[in-house]
Amino acid sequence: MPSKVSDEVVTLIENRKINQKYFKLVFQSRGLSKNVKPGQFVQLQIQPAQDPFLRRPFSYFRVCSDRIEILYEILGRGTSLLARKKKGDRVRVMGPLGRPFTEKVGQKKRILVGGGIGVPPLMFLAERCSVDCLLIGVKSKEELLPKREMAQVKGKVLFSTDDGSYGEKGYVTELLKKVLKEESSRLVYIQTCGPNVMMREVMKIAKKKGIEGEASMDERMACGIGACLGCMVETRDGLVPSCKEGPVFSFENLV
């Protein structure tokens, strides 16, 4: 059953910077937290006025009872304004939206590959479901999440950094190749979220080895409900809105 969508004004419990990359936004809502699954997202109206006009999409990072946590980074004017919000401020939020990650993968080993702002929904998935490996790629150790934010992950976490300051040096896709050398391809299921160039390489690796999986295509979204057709993704069924038919798609269905 799809989650019932709620559109409501919430009061911020917390909005603070937790490392050099991420801010954490926290609020409470029964409607926005009910039956949420990893991979779904909310559309957040940053200002009550029409500036910025469009809402911004944010993946769920963690849901505990009616408490909702979102991680975000400053990428433009909208998120810059959001970072100025304080405890007690109110914002309008719509969700949960979109199709989530598959939680049941049978006897297959689940390997998650994340980078950038694609890490939060995979963290949510790794807290809900057991994983064999969660692979996280960042530019340097300064961008790593605090250890307390990783404490609930149900599996092994491996890191790669572009500058070699922590974990393996290089891209997370190279780390994925190393991990897959020790696994039987037919016993692996990959789920990925992050920059498109990273996910394309993940899917290329998976296709070469005959591995099934899913990718969360986090395109820029305006409405979040499939009405504006601004976040189209090319699939084997043609162009479809990522916000409604995704954001999670199977590797097989993506072109």
Side-chain angles (χ1 to χ4, degrees):
M1 286 287 292
S3 305
K4 184 178 179 180
V5 176
S6 179
D7 189 2
E8 59 189 84
V9 175
V10 301
T11 301
L12 301 185
I13 299 172
E14 184 179 316
N15 186 31
R16 63 184 178 88
K17 196 169 187 178
I18 60 171
N19 65 5
Q20 286 195 4
K21 188 180 186 72
Y22 291 117
F23 286 77
K24 183 160 80 167
L25 186 77
V26 183
F27 55 88
Q28 287 179 297
S29 166
R30 288 185 179 180
L32 293 162
S33 61
K34 191 174 183 180
N35 299 322
V36 172
K37 296 183 182 297
Q40 291 187 296
F41 66 97
V42 296
Q43 288 281 96
L44 194 148
Q45 184 179 354
I46 295 169
Q47 300 281 69
Q50 293 186 337
D51 183 26
F53 177 70
L54 298 177
R55 296 195 190 201
R56 298 295 193 273
F58 299 95
S59 298
Y60 284 88
F61 169 54
R62 184 176 289 126
V63 177
C64 184
S65 186
D66 63 352
R67 177 186 168 99
I68 297 166
E69 298 181 12
I70 290 169
L71 292 190
Y72 68 96
E73 59 180 306
I74 296 178
L75 296 173
R77 183 167 179 272
T79 43
S80 179
L81 289 171
L82 182 60
R84 299 177 195 172
K85 299 286 184 182
K86 295 179 174 58
K87 179 180 178 179
D89 286 349
R90 293 165 68 80
V91 294
R92 179 169 287 279
V93 185
M94 179 170 64
L97 300 167
R99 293 180 180 271
F101 285 109
T102 297
E103 294 189 32
K104 295 181 179 179
V105 297
Q107 299 301 310
K108 292 190 175 184
K109 292 184 176 181
R110 189 193 307 265
I111 295 178
L112 310 182
V113 186
I117 206 62
V119 173
L122 294 180
M123 287 281 296
F124 188 11
L125 182 60
E127 291 182 358
R128 283 279 183 94
C129 307
S130 294
V131 300
D132 187 65
C133 281
L134 167 58
L135 311 182
I136 297 177
V138 294
K139 291 180 180 178
S140 68
K141 65 180 181 181
E142 284 75 23
E143 295 185 357
L144 296 175
L145 284 172
K147 287 185 177 180
R148 64 180 177 275
E149 299 291 356
M150 310 288 293
Q152 298 179 50
V153 172
K154 298 176 181 177
K156 182 167 57 177
V157 183
L158 299 176
F159 296 92
S160 70
T161 51
D162 292 356
D163 63 3
S165 56
Y166 192 87
E168 293 279 333
K169 182 177 181 179
Y171 295 137
V172 70
T173 47
E174 293 304 312
L175 181 56
L176 174 63
K177 290 177 184 178
K178 289 184 179 181
V179 170
L180 290 177
K181 284 182 180 179
E182 303 174 8
E183 304 290 349
S184 170
S185 297
R186 47 189 194 82
L187 298 178
V188 171
Y189 194 83
I190 296 175
Q191 291 165 302
T192 184
C193 186
N196 283 338
V197 64
M198 182 207 81
M199 291 195 291
R200 283 197 297 269
E201 182 63 20
V202 169
M203 287 187 277
K204 182 179 176 181
I205 293 167
K207 183 176 181 179
K208 188 175 181 180
K209 290 183 171 290
I211 296 173
E212 295 181 328
E214 296 174 325
S216 179
M217 307 301 290
D218 297 330
E219 303 292 330
R220 292 204 61 160
M221 300 172 185
C223 70
I225 57 174
C228 71
L229 306 182
C231 59
M232 304 302 282
V233 172
E234 189 174 2
T235 71
R236 297 192 182 281
D237 300 319
L239 289 170
V240 300
S242 176
C243 64
K244 187 175 181 180
E245 300 301 324
V248 178
F249 297 89
S250 69
F251 290 169
E252 182 182 17
N253 196 33
L254 288 167
V255 176

